[in-house]
Amino acid sequence: PQVVERCVAAAGYSVGEFAALVFAGAMGFAEALYAVKVRAEAMQKASEAVPSGMLSVIGRREANYKFACLEARKHCESLGIENPVCTVSNYLFPDSRVIAGHLQALEFLQENARKYYFKRAKMLPVSGAFHTRLMEPAVEPLAEVLKSIEIQKPLLCVYSNVDGKKYMHSKHIQKLLVKQVVSPVLWEQTMHSVYERKQGTEFPYTYEVGPGNQLGAILKQCNLKAWKQYKHVDALEDEEEAEI
């Protein structure tokens, strides 16, 4: 309880941003859950319209992601795909990106991984190119549902995936949550914003709540000093103990 009372900032990765906003008192749990349901269904529908996906990439220092994506789009055009999509959709930590877009573009990058200095290029088990313009059909349904939800100014700092900066007010939250669907997740940049401090200043305690500790692993790569104060809290532990 004292951790919750003393918390000064929150952030959530992709859909986790709704959880961060609920925690910060910006929206009610039930309403946020409904918005997430509408968002998920709309994104799934958008995914089914175009064969697309996401590619997790670990690159060498020399890797040029923009150039690789440009060549992958040119490859798609040579196959007759009009206006192809291939772009960085998630910035995780230095030398780690997720690239999303048309399946043919991602397959091209996998086949030519060496040429683009990718140490690893692995397809993610997802149904679409999330956080790219292929998700545009999902924008309107989410915008509509967010208009019907009461959004307050957060009680503590919540950082946006869209620009890595703090949310300012309720209209700002409404606007950026919609934009997030078609914008890359700037998680690496968000980590820099959250932990930016004068030299010699102590780092805060960080708690990752929920299944898995991937965000902790990313924090370790982004900021080792901040990671030393990190702890993972599995949300299921308490429930299992209660059942026992």
Side-chain angles (χ1 to χ4, degrees):
Q2 62 268 37
V3 169
V4 175
E5 281 167 31
R6 292 170 61 191
C7 186
V8 293
Y13 185 90
S14 189
V15 73
E17 202 157 283
F18 284 87
L21 287 162
V22 169
F23 175 75
M27 57 174 76
F29 177 70
E31 289 178 318
L33 212 55
Y34 178 61
V36 166
K37 178 180 181 285
V38 170
R39 177 185 183 271
E41 287 169 355
M43 287 169 81
Q44 182 57 36
K45 204 173 170 187
S47 298
E48 287 161 9
V50 178
S52 57
M54 302 179 87
L55 186 72
S56 172
V57 174
I58 304 284
R60 298 187 190 281
R61 287 269 169 92
E62 311 93 305
N64 183 332
Y65 303 97
K66 274 188 179 173
F67 177 67
C69 289
L70 175 68
E71 293 221 321
R73 289 196 297 273
K74 281 181 180 171
H75 168 72
C76 286
E77 283 167 0
S78 75
L79 298 175
I81 297 167
E82 285 180 33
N83 209 6
V85 172
C86 183
T87 185
V88 173
S89 61
N90 305 67
Y91 292 80
L92 303 179
F93 55 85
D95 305 321
S96 177
R97 305 279 183 270
V98 176
I99 294 173
H102 281 80
L103 271 184
Q104 296 90 331
L106 305 181
E107 285 161 3
F108 171 82
L109 290 177
Q110 267 192 308
E111 286 162 19
N112 295 278
R114 243 182 168 166
K115 179 187 172 183
Y116 300 116
Y117 301 103
F118 295 167
K119 280 194 275 190
R120 195 192 79 185
K122 187 183 171 190
M123 288 297 288
L124 294 177
V126 295
S127 58
F130 305 134
H131 303 292
T132 71
R133 64 176 168 80
L134 286 176
M135 289 294 117
E136 269 167 12
V139 164
E140 200 52 45
L142 180 59
E144 283 305 307
V145 77
L146 288 174
K147 277 178 199 167
S148 69
I149 289 176
E150 193 184 342
I151 300 174
Q152 313 274 355
K153 188 181 176 184
L155 299 170
L156 49 103
C157 295
V158 180
Y159 291 81
S160 165
N161 287 183
V162 172
D163 57 10
K165 295 174 183 171
K166 296 169 193 172
Y167 279 118
M168 306 306 289
H169 48 75
S170 57
K171 279 271 184 280
H172 192 215
I173 293 169
Q174 194 179 325
K175 184 184 169 189
L176 291 191
L177 281 180
V178 172
K179 201 176 175 186
Q180 192 228 55
V181 172
V182 289
S183 304
V185 173
L186 304 186
W187 193 254
E188 183 185 339
Q189 294 85 332
T190 301
M191 292 296 92
H192 293 317
S193 295
V194 171
Y195 297 104
E196 190 180 19
R197 57 223 328 106
K198 285 178 184 160
Q199 214 170 353
T201 312
E202 276 189 27
F203 283 93
Y205 287 97
T206 299
Y207 295 88
E208 178 178 2
V209 183
N213 55 1
Q214 290 93 331
L215 298 180
I218 291 171
L219 177 59
K220 190 177 182 180
Q221 298 291 337
C222 287
N223 191 322
L224 188 60
K225 284 182 180 174
W227 175 79
K228 285 177 179 170
Q229 305 276 48
Y230 160 88
K231 191 178 178 199
H232 176 240
V233 181
D234 194 325
L236 297 173
E237 280 174 10
D238 293 345
E239 287 175 26
E240 281 166 9
E241 281 167 18
E243 282 170 18
I244 292 161

